[in-house]
Amino acid sequence: MYWSGGAELNNEGTIAFLRPKVVGGGSIVNQALLDRFDSEVLEDWRSRSQIDYLSPSGLLPYYTKAESNINIEEIPAHARNKNAGIFIEGMTKNGFITKPLTRAQKGCNFHEPNDCIECLSGCRLDQKQSMAVTVLPSALSKGAELISSFEVKMIEPHFDGVRIFGLKGKKESLQFKAKKIVLASGAIGNSKLLLQSGFKKFIPAIGDNFYTHPQFMSLGLYKEKIESFKLAFQSFKSQDPQFKKWGFKLENVFAPPNGIAMLIPGFGRRHLDLMKKIPHMACIEVAVRDTNPGKIKLGKNGGLIVEKTLNEEDKKRKLKGMEVIDNIFDSTGAKSIIRGKIGIGLHLMGGCGIGQDDKMSVTTPDFHLHGFKNIHLADSSVFPAAPGINPSLTIMALSIKASENIAKGF
Amino acid sequence: MQTTLLTNRELKGFIKVADILTCGDRDFPKFSTTDFYKKVDYILEELPKEDFDGIKLLFNVFSFLPSFLISFIVFLTENPFGPSFIKNNLFKINSGLKGIVFTLYYSRLPGEGERIFSLLGWDTKIPGYVGTNKFNELN
């Protein structure tokens, strides 16, 4: 379900980017967490982009519309698992504030009970409010045609629109002609396509300012069974103002065995002995609001290169978050703690940032490429910086705003 | 499905390193005693060309080396050192090898894969209606 057989690595090999390769993209495999961006984030964005509508009042109608298009719920108390219990107890004991997560879901059959960690591979109950159950059926009913397994390799602007060249499956070349196109293949996908198509010579900022909220999972090992894979997978988050100052947030999460295997250090017998303790593991991750922008590039042979490292500030944020997690585990009786071996990048943002300045940004305030009015962008690639907040809802809100501008052009 | 992307020699090297990463014990199977290798193409065919060529070369080299030497190389990738060029590539080799082997070993593949999940105590369930939304199968 992900590009490159599961994950793409940064230039150091220390962060694995999970880039979905499914119709519906991140909305299929994400945890459907929804939060509006606050005034501090939007003020930062406005100052970077010089775009006035990037403010709480400017985005309010779009947040409201995005929220009205989907069903939003909190996880009911009876569906919270022991992993969530440890998180809440540890946070409270250490004097930090938690808050239930708001999710794009509809029921989720928690009365069954339902172990929704399975939903990381797409929701078999069709209750996660992904594109597959919300906007796609709506678009198809209005006459849209969907072509899956089609990778666009190049786009070419023409006087009468845009030519699109790609591969259906592995071999079948297809070409299309369109008056306008909307790129929505995410930070890495959009940047890669624009670089492959030679736009860098017109728009030098393509691929710059890539952010990912690098996430680092720690596992707490307990004497009793925790079974973090049972019931609701994720139900609480940190809501402490101190964390915002420290530049991170914490969430109680878990991963399937192949994911846990990648986090645990070592190999062979030692590794297996730790894997056997999966039922006794709790898990919390620190997601860093990264300050060091990455760069998406193409190598000599056209291969993807993602330069993304932590600077001293980002490392400080990561370590502080891990210290807090250690304290949470210690205060709730963990026997030992394993810090995950590799970082994870799930929130893939930027690379085609929005802004007024065509030297510093890629996408105009009207959501088209600087200098190319028929090529639009509408997804997380237009983010000008890391918000430190789950991006899904703002992607939806900005896309609604983009759609208004795009529709005006017809 | 048998692998069509690896030569017999590369397959030999792959299984040798897979046995080092997932050596099994009294209860858990050693990689080579399963038929997980038959599914390796599902992962390999998704790799970018440079990574694919690199991993084939590595498997080829492993096929000639004794297991203790492969263990030592895996140990080096676990604890990378040296200038950043070497360190970064050791990190990548570690993630690449583990990614392929652990994905096959810990993905509840029919047969031994299901037994491994059972031994781990991983008994997740989603009862009730299974959705029929056609988009969930598309990529």
Side-chain angles (χ1 to χ4, degrees):
Chain A
M1 298 185 84
Y2 296 92
W3 287 91
S4 300
E8 290 160 323
L9 295 172
N10 66 339
N11 54 315
E12 289 183 336
T14 50
I15 303 174
F17 305 113
L18 304 184
R19 181 159 67 106
K21 194 184 180 187
V22 288
V23 171
S27 73
I28 303 291
V29 297
N30 71 6
Q31 264 307 296
L33 310 182
L34 299 180
D35 289 293
R36 292 185 184 192
F37 289 179
D38 56 32
S39 55
E40 185 251 311
V41 170
L42 292 172
E43 179 52 45
D44 172 49
W45 278 23
R46 192 168 49 183
S47 111
R48 288 169 188 262
S49 66
Q50 301 298 308
I51 296 175
D52 286 339
Y53 65 71
L54 293 174
S55 67
S57 59
L59 289 187
L60 180 63
Y62 302 101
Y63 275 133
T64 307
K65 190 161 186 189
E67 287 163 348
S68 70
N69 286 343
I70 50 178
N71 200 70
I72 301 174
E73 295 174 355
E74 286 178 8
I75 303 287
H78 69 83
R80 292 173 198 156
N81 63 14
K82 282 191 186 174
N83 193 25
I86 285 170
F87 182 69
I88 298 164
E89 182 191 337
M91 286 282 284
T92 308
K93 280 183 173 170
N94 285 277
F96 299 123
I97 301 166
T98 58
K99 195 180 174 199
L101 292 164
T102 41
R103 299 186 76 237
Q105 63 178 48
K106 197 170 189 178
C108 292
N109 291 9
F110 285 122
H111 56 280
E112 293 281 0
N114 177 6
D115 306 324
C116 81
I117 194 165
E118 299 277 322
C119 288
L120 287 173
S121 311
C123 178
R124 285 190 280 146
L125 302 173
D126 287 346
Q127 290 173 342
K128 186 195 284 186
Q129 301 286 282
S130 69
M131 301 297 111
V133 299
T134 54
V135 294
L136 278 176
S138 168
L140 289 181
S141 72
K142 291 178 172 67
E145 186 187 347
L146 173 69
I147 302 172
S148 66
S149 303
F150 177 64
E151 184 185 2
V152 180
K153 296 285 189 183
M154 198 175 81
I155 54 172
E156 205 175 77
H158 276 250
F159 67 93
D160 59 345
V162 187
R163 304 281 194 282
I164 300 122
F165 304 87
L167 275 183
K168 167 88 176 153
K170 299 272 179 205
K171 290 176 186 159
E172 188 190 354
S173 292
L174 292 179
Q175 283 185 39
F176 296 94
K177 200 168 81 175
K179 185 176 176 188
K180 285 177 173 287
I181 62 167
V182 183
L183 306 183
S185 55
I188 295 177
N190 283 356
S191 300
K192 184 171 177 254
L193 176 60
L194 291 171
L195 292 170
Q196 282 172 181
S197 305
F199 285 88
K200 182 85 172 170
K201 58 181 178 279
F202 306 112
I203 309 167
I206 291 173
D208 293 353
N209 297 315
F210 170 65
Y211 296 88
T212 185
H213 293 159
Q215 288 156 285
F216 302 92
M217 294 161 78
S218 292
L219 300 160
L221 268 67
Y222 290 78
K223 193 176 173 193
E224 72 273 21
K225 277 190 176 178
I226 307 300
E227 296 188 312
S228 299
F229 44 82
K230 304 293 282 182
L231 299 172
F233 163 69
Q234 196 178 9
S235 48
F236 268 80
K237 64 174 178 177
S238 57
Q239 186 72 4
D240 202 279
Q242 192 65 37
F243 288 5
K244 201 170 166 60
K245 280 185 204 155
W246 288 335
F248 61 79
K249 67 189 178 83
L250 302 185
E251 285 174 359
N252 77 291
V253 293
F254 209 63
N258 53 5
I260 298 291
M262 293 300 290
L263 295 174
I264 290 178
F267 58 94
R269 189 59 186 268
R270 181 173 162 244
H271 187 273
L272 178 60
D273 286 344
L274 287 170
M275 285 297 290
K276 288 180 186 174
K277 294 180 178 155
I278 275 187
H280 297 265
M281 290 176 186
C283 184
I284 302 172
E285 70 171 16
V286 51
V288 173
R289 184 180 182 191
D290 39 343
T291 61
N292 192 32
K295 204 180 261 282
I296 298 162
K297 299 160 70 172
L298 296 181
K300 282 180 192 158
N301 301 321
L304 179 72
I305 297 172
V306 183
E307 289 178 355
K308 176 69 187 166
T309 54
L310 303 188
N311 60 12
E312 287 310 309
E313 174 61 24
D314 293 344
K315 283 179 190 166
K316 199 172 90 182
R317 293 175 178 204
K318 169 191 163 188
L319 287 175
K320 182 68 189 168
M322 285 180 149
E323 273 173 36
V324 174
I325 294 171
D326 287 354
N327 291 337
I328 291 171
F329 284 146
D330 284 340
S331 64
T332 51
K335 299 295 170 201
S336 59
I337 296 165
I338 300 170
R339 288 182 172 181
K341 239 187 102 54
I342 190 164
I344 298 161
L346 286 170
H347 300 166
L348 309 176
M349 305 168 289
C352 303
I354 197 167
Q356 298 278 8
D357 183 342
D358 62 2
K359 298 285 183 294
M360 305 293 287
S361 63
V362 175
T363 307
T364 68
D366 292 337
F367 296 92
H368 63 72
L369 273 186
H370 281 296
F372 298 91
K373 291 204 164 181
N374 293 324
I375 301 172
H376 297 266
L377 297 95
D379 61 14
S380 63
S381 69
V382 306
F383 282 20
I389 298 173
N390 282 295
S392 292
L393 185 64
T394 305
I395 296 170
M396 294 178 208
L398 287 177
S399 298
I400 292 168
K401 179 152 184 67
S403 69
E404 290 180 353
N405 291 319
I406 295 164
K408 280 180 203 162
F410 282 97
Chain B
M1 176 183 160
Q2 301 283 347
T3 175
T4 58
L5 299 178
L6 297 179
T7 63
N8 285 341
R9 179 151 291 285
E10 288 158 357
L11 183 62
K12 186 180 168 193
F14 165 58
I15 291 176
K16 276 166 94 171
V17 71
D19 269 354
I20 287 162
L21 291 171
T22 52
C23 59
D25 66 3
R26 202 173 47 184
D27 302 316
F28 284 76
K30 196 175 186 173
F31 192 93
S32 57
T33 65
T34 71
D35 60 359
F36 297 157
Y37 72 91
K38 291 181 179 174
K39 307 280 186 191
V40 72
D41 283 7
Y42 286 115
I43 301 172
L44 295 179
E45 68 188 5
E46 297 293 329
L47 295 182
K49 190 175 179 319
E50 306 90 85
D51 294 352
F52 178 64
D53 292 345
I55 210 88
K56 275 169 75 81
L57 177 66
L58 206 55
F59 291 159
N60 211 323
V61 172
F62 286 163
S63 72
F64 292 101
L65 299 180
S67 289
F68 78 88
L69 210 48
I70 301 173
S71 285
F72 180 66
I73 292 169
V74 173
F75 175 81
L76 291 180
T77 69
E78 271 297 299
N79 306 278
F81 63 95
S84 60
F85 174 76
I86 294 173
K87 197 174 168 183
N88 294 351
N89 280 303
L90 288 172
F91 258 124
K92 287 180 184 175
I93 290 169
N94 185 267
S95 296
L97 291 174
K98 283 183 162 184
I100 295 170
V101 174
F102 290 157
T103 297
L104 293 169
Y105 194 84
Y106 290 114
S107 285
R108 206 188 299 200
L109 291 173
E112 283 293 76
E114 288 167 332
R115 196 172 72 82
I116 289 168
F117 265 52
S118 172
L119 288 168
L120 288 174
W122 188 280
D123 61 342
T124 52
K125 293 179 190 72
I126 301 187
Y129 173 72
V130 175
T132 54
N133 192 299
K134 59 188 176 184
F135 303 112
N136 286 345
E137 302 302 322
L138 298 177
N139 62 36

